[in-house]
Amino acid sequence: MATTSSLESLQTEEQRRVLDTVSQVRKCGLDSVLSLPQIVVCGDQSSGKSSLLEALTEIPFPRNDNLCTRFATEISLRREPESSLTIRIIPAHSRPQEEQNRLQLFSEVITDFEDLPAVMDKAMRNWGSPRGPAPSQRTRLAPQLTLVDIPGLIQTSTRGVSEANVALVAEITDSYIKQPRTICLAVVSATNDAANQPILSRVRKFDPHGERTLGVITKPDRLPSGSASESKFLELARNEDVFFKLGWHVIKNRKFEETAFSIDERNLVEKTFFATSNFKALPREDVGIDALRVKLSTLLFDHVKKELPRLQEDLESALTVSQEALHHLGDSGVTFEECRAFLSDFNVQCYRVCEAGLNGNYEHDYFKGANQADDFSLQNKDTIARIRAAIQYANIKFAEDFRAKAHKFRFCFNQHHAASNADPMATAPPAEKSLRVDQTPSEAQMSPVSSSSVRRQDLARRVVKPLPARKLLTRSNQDPPTSQASPDAPSDLRPQNLPKSEAMEWVKRVLLRSRGTELVGNFNPHVVAELFWEQSERWDMMAREHVELVSSLCRQFVSDLVSEMAPDDLQSRIQSSLVQDALRKRRESGLDELEKLLVDRKEFPINYNHYYTDNIHKKRQHKIKAEIEKHFRAVPHEAQVRYHEGDELDVPATFRGVLQSWADTVTPDMEDFSCEETLDCLLAIYKVQQKTFIANVTTQVIERHIARGLQDIFSPMVLVGMSDEKVLKLVSEPSATNRQRVFLIDRIRKLEDGQEIFRGVMDL
């Protein structure tokens, strides 16, 4: 197959060196990643594109006056020791793999351009008729290409051309002309008004300033001489109507009756037309196929050479990305020894990081990704990476919330229980703290000197006001008492505020149901247990939520660690084989331990801690002190005045009066006495049990079962009992990853070859 003079015009020695660079990059399969310099012939259906390309390259591309081309034909022109042309099919990636493999097997080599139409017909029959569904799958027939003839735009569906075909052709056209390094030969036919040809608006969409578009007018011989339409196309050819920076060019295609003409005969007819028609007014460099060939030769070379530096940058970037992707795949791990060595190294790294995190040693690079400006939050990945800090934070929050919200009732007592105010279960409303039993707020604001009514009171007549009648409280109360809780607490965890009267009724109800053989005035010890069970009924829920929270933190910590350390394709297998089962067992073990603690809560409280008796003793002391202070304030005012003026005061007599007043106010109701004693015991034992429970949950459950030994999931000893088959199954890469590895290795090799070619070309 002789190389034509036309092809020689397109490819000088220097041009071949430049274009070979692009060809090498194209071989790497990067045309879908990089925008490669190329000439694309685009236009509307049957606008003469194939004829233009045939005249330009003197290669007989398939064309039909009644049928448009519906596949892209790409050509790569390069110098080889032997002249030949190889035709192959590049199937679309959307086709099934088996069909891709079958189509890729097609390859034909010819030594004469005249055989090209027959070979291309054979290729079309291989994938299916152009009228069939295959073109809609975007199959491309590709002799090695730098010049591209893409399907002509179809304006409407007809018989044999579906709406899917119309959309497909438009998609193919856009995919080529939108590439920023593509020179568009926008072909318009003189047989149709240019304004009615969609290719012009389509190239404007992707090349709005016309910087990389060269307009080509075909079939000018079809215009009546001297007509308005001829004048309009002459104006277009002079770049006065639709402006393109690269200008316009006019060629004459072969007519149907000239189909048998040789290339020389075709060129002679064209020269005659441009010498005798009104188009002779155009510059010689803007008409005829020979002038177009020279123009494109210079244009393509300048365009490619200008783009080479940026193309080299893109190639370097693609090489870096490919190398990083290959590195992220890790070692291939083909043999048992390689797989075991990889897994052992992986386990050691994870073990060290996990152990450091649990011990609070954050010197490893894994812990240094956190931004110190970020808030410390258990939803933050960087926070969870420092797992010991996260667990400590969760435990402290659990203890605070437990002390504030785990009790069912908050008791609101009067002044004689003011000492219990530090206990979140026992508070004294400010409006009541300074009031005597029979004192109103207005009386409390009066000066002691003006309060003569107080001086005249008979201490012996002072008694505690009777309790109002209220509904008794039980575990199954339908309507809980009205209360106001802290706005910080969730609505479902707000303790119910109980005034002393309602608290006494609650205790009295349980006392009545639990009456045994004890003397009246005493209480059954089991009453305290029943009250405690109801008061602590929220412990189960809050403790389980905390265990689940810490378990999820550890699970997220391990998952993030595996994601950071393991290749992408191994992460799911390591999670399922090594991590998930171990984490599940640790969680279940922690919940089992918690259940034992919760069972203990539902038993009768057992206490050997003196803190309980200390609390009881302090409560009684504070009650006595509060009562004495209250009655001391009731000493006749004259005695207080004399004392302050320095007169002698009969101290023994005064205190006898105070003590007598206090004795007279002690309620004789033994049930009330039992209720108060029972309530004091409840408050004391609750505080003791609460402290013990918080300590047990954080140490026996969280630390012993959830946190401690978390690094043992990655212990090197795990591999000792693992069979070679299991190690190979766990670590060896799947077939898809292996194919990806082979692809990346081949791609990197070709890109590195391209680097060498670039270095040579850039010296031109």
Side-chain angles (χ1 to χ4, degrees), residues 10-204:
L10 278 174
Q11 292 186 325
T12 65
E13 184 62 32
E14 184 181 18
Q15 287 173 322
R16 290 189 185 96
R17 294 182 61 190
V18 173
L19 294 178
D20 276 348
T21 304
V22 179
S23 181
Q24 290 285 346
V25 176
R26 194 183 299 275
K27 284 186 193 178
C28 298
L30 296 178
D31 51 339
S32 61
V33 179
L34 302 178
S35 175
L36 303 180
Q38 60 187 350
I39 297 175
V40 171
V41 184
C42 55
D44 296 340
Q45 184 180 27
S46 300
S47 61
K49 299 183 291 77
S50 296
S51 298
L52 167 64
L53 196 59
E54 177 182 325
L56 187 65
T57 64
E58 300 183 3
I59 298 175
F61 288 99
R63 56 189 175 86
N64 190 315
D65 287 345
N66 298 319
L67 182 65
C68 71
T69 304
R70 289 190 302 213
F71 54 85
T73 305
E74 303 177 357
I75 310 172
S76 177
L77 305 174
R78 68 179 188 271
R79 181 70 60 87
E80 294 290 347
E82 296 182 0
S83 298
S84 64
L85 186 64
T86 302
I87 299 91
R88 58 191 176 89
I89 301 172
I90 302 177
H93 295 298
S94 58
R95 282 183 176 269
Q97 188 60 47
E98 293 183 1
E99 190 171 350
Q100 291 187 46
N101 296 337
R102 179 181 63 81
L103 293 177
Q104 287 173 343
L105 293 176
F106 179 86
S107 179
E108 292 285 340
V109 180
I110 61 175
T111 58
D112 191 333
F113 282 141
E114 297 295 332
D115 297 332
L116 180 59
V119 174
M120 297 186 77
D121 287 341
K122 181 178 179 181
M124 287 187 288
R125 289 194 301 271
N126 194 5
W127 82 55
S129 169
R131 298 179 185 272
S136 65
Q137 300 295 321
R138 298 196 62 184
T139 299
R140 300 183 301 162
L141 180 64
Q144 302 183 26
L145 312 171
T146 50
L147 298 177
V148 183
D149 177 28
I150 59 178
L153 292 172
I154 308 172
Q155 298 189 34
T156 184
S157 60
T158 59
R159 179 184 299 178
V161 180
S162 65
E163 291 291 344
N165 294 142
V166 175
L168 170 65
V169 170
E171 182 182 355
I172 293 176
T173 301
D174 290 349
S175 69
Y176 276 96
I177 66 177
K178 72 180 180 182
Q179 298 179 33
R181 294 192 178 105
T182 293
I183 296 177
C184 300
L185 264 64
V187 181
V188 296
S189 173
T191 59
N192 188 13
D193 189 357
N196 296 330
Q197 302 189 51
I199 188 59
L200 295 181
S201 60
R202 199 166 285 271
V203 294
R204 279 296 192 194

Side-chain angles (χ1 to χ4, degrees), residues 651-707:
V651 175
T654 301
F655 273 99
R656 281 196 297 271
V658 171
L659 293 176
Q660 183 61 45
S661 174
W662 174 44
D664 291 342
T665 58
V666 173
T667 176
D669 191 333
M670 290 184 290
E671 291 289 347
D672 288 347
F673 176 79
S674 297
C675 289
E676 290 189 7
E677 288 291 305
T678 303
L679 200 53
D680 287 343
C681 291
L682 169 65
L683 294 175
I685 194 62
Y686 185 92
K687 293 185 70 173
V688 173
Q689 296 292 88
Q690 181 190 66
K691 291 176 181 292
T692 303
F693 187 79
I694 292 175
N696 288 344
V697 169
T698 54
T699 56
Q700 294 179 210
V701 179
I702 299 300
E703 195 62 30
R704 178 187 299 171
H705 296 279
I706 305 297

Side-chain angles (χ1 to χ4, degrees), residues 469-485:
R470 297 179 184 269
K471 180 183 292 187
L472 297 179
L473 300 178
T474 66
R475 286 190 182 183
S476 59
N477 273 348
Q478 294 87 346
D479 300 315
T482 58
S483 63
Q484 290 182 342

Side-chain angles (χ1 to χ4, degrees), residues 358 547 551 554 558 579-593 701-713:
L358 287 170
V547 173
S551 178
C554 292
V558 173
V579 174
Q580 291 179 358
D581 189 56
L583 289 174
R584 177 184 57 80
K585 289 180 179 179
R586 297 177 71 85
R587 171 182 171 274
E588 292 176 353
S589 177
L591 290 175
D592 289 343
E593 184 71 22
V701 179
I702 299 300
E703 195 62 30
R704 178 187 299 171
H705 296 279
I706 305 297
R708 186 185 304 156
L710 185 64
Q711 71 273 16
D712 291 338
I713 295 176

